[in-house]
Amino acid sequence: MKRINSILGVIFLLTFNVNATTWFPAEHTCPICKHKHEYKEIESYGGYIYNWPSKYQYVYWPLIDLPSVYCCPKCNFTTYMWDFDSVPENRVDTLTKFLSTVKLEKKYKDYIDIPMTTRLEIAENVYKILGRDNEFWCKFYRVLGYHYDQEKNKEKAKESRLKSLDLARLMLSDSVYSGQEKEILFIIAAMNNFIGQKDSALIYLDKASLLTYENKKWKEENVKGLDRYLTDLIKQYKEFIRKEKEDEG
C-alpha cells in the first residue's frame, strides 16, 4: 500500500509540474534609496510557456506573472525584475523627484500584493525617465494591456493595446527593424484582434505568413527557431480567430 501511495505521489508531482514555473526568494537593494528587500527570482520553467494563451497577445511568462515587476516598498522605484538592480547615475535625481510624487492607496507588506497595473503605471514613468526604444514600448503596452484585461479594466486594456499598435506601425516603417516584419505584422494582428478588429487581424496574419523572419543581430539558429515558431503561431491564430467569429455567430 505504501508503495502504491509513493507511486501515486510521484505521478501527481510529475503531472503537477508539467506546466509549472517556480520562483525562489532573493534579496535585492533598491538603486535609488538603497533599501534592501526580499523579492522573487526565477527558479525553473519550460518551453511550454510559449504555448500558453497569452501567446495570442504576444506576451509571455514571466511578464504575465505577478513577481516579475519589482517595486521598492520604501521609495516605490519600479521596473521589470531584470532592470531593477542598477540605474544610470545621471538619472537618479530625476527618478527620486518623480518617485516622491508616487502615493499608493495603502501600505503593502509584499510587493506582489500591489496590483500589477499599479506597479506597471509607476514603471511606465520610470522607463520614460530612463529612456527606451519603440520595440520596448510596443511590448510594454502589450504587457500593460494584458494585465488591465486580467483586472477586468477593458477600457484601459484597449487604450494600452492601441498604443502598442501605433508603435508596431512605427516599427514597420523603421529600417532599424528591417527583416523583422513577420513578427511586427503578427503583433499588429494580435492587437487588432484584441481591440475587436478580427477581420483586420486576419489580413495582417495573411501578410505575415508570406514572410520569413530575419535578424542580423541574432544567431542563425535562433532566427530560424523564431521563424518556425511564428509560422506555426500564425496558423494557430487564424484558426483561433475564425472559431471565435463562428462562436459569435
Side-chain angles (χ1 to χ4, degrees), residues 45-235:
Y45 67 98
Y48 41 78
I49 64 171
Y50 299 107
N51 286 314
W52 288 351
S54 65
K55 66 185 178 183
Y56 293 123
Q57 298 179 54
Y58 213 55
V59 175
Y60 297 94
W61 190 91
L63 289 174
I64 62 173
D65 209 345
L66 295 178
S68 65
V69 177
Y70 289 179
C71 181
C72 173
K74 186 174 182 181
C75 73
N76 296 319
F77 175 68
T78 308
T79 66
Y80 291 148
M81 56 187 296
W82 42 80
D83 293 328
F84 187 81
D85 290 328
S86 64
V87 297
E89 193 62 36
N90 63 354
R91 295 289 188 269
V92 172
D93 287 346
T94 307
L95 285 167
T96 301
K97 288 177 183 177
F98 160 66
L99 293 169
S100 69
T101 69
V102 176
K103 307 295 179 187
L104 300 183
E105 292 182 355
K106 62 179 182 178
K107 189 75 174 178
Y108 292 91
K109 185 177 180 181
D110 193 326
Y111 80 99
I112 293 176
D113 296 331
I114 303 170
M116 189 63 142
T117 55
T118 299
R119 280 181 275 156
L120 286 168
E121 285 167 0
I122 300 171
E124 179 180 11
N125 287 287
V126 167
Y127 282 120
K128 284 179 180 178
I129 293 169
L130 292 175
R132 290 295 188 269
D133 61 17
N134 285 341
E135 185 175 10
F136 172 91
W137 286 115
C138 184
K139 181 177 181 179
F140 183 90
Y141 287 116
R142 292 200 306 278
V143 173
L144 186 54
Y146 172 89
H147 286 287
Y148 276 134
D149 213 344
Q150 293 295 299
E151 295 177 12
K152 310 301 181 187
N153 192 332
K154 301 296 183 182
E155 185 176 340
K156 285 197 172 183
K158 183 175 182 178
E159 183 181 313
S160 295
R161 287 161 176 158
L162 284 169
K163 288 180 180 179
S164 181
L165 184 57
D166 287 342
L167 287 157
R169 286 173 176 149
L170 286 174
M171 290 169 64
L172 197 60
S173 60
D174 189 339
S175 61
V176 171
Y177 305 104
S178 179
Q180 301 175 44
E181 289 85 358
K182 184 174 186 175
E183 180 181 40
I184 297 168
L185 286 169
F186 179 86
I187 291 168
I188 292 173
M191 293 301 95
N192 268 291
N193 180 55
F194 276 87
I195 62 170
Q197 302 296 320
K198 297 187 186 301
D199 289 335
S200 292
L202 286 169
I203 290 170
Y204 282 107
L205 287 172
D206 283 338
K207 290 181 179 180
S209 68
L210 301 174
L211 302 176
T212 300
Y213 180 82
E214 297 176 7
N215 191 331
K216 294 178 181 178
K217 298 176 184 177
W218 287 16
K219 291 182 179 179
E220 185 179 357
E221 62 189 82
N222 294 334
V223 171
K224 288 183 176 179
L226 180 54
D227 184 66
R228 286 193 299 270
Y229 175 75
L230 286 169
T231 296
D232 185 53
L233 186 53
I234 288 165
K235 291 177 182 176

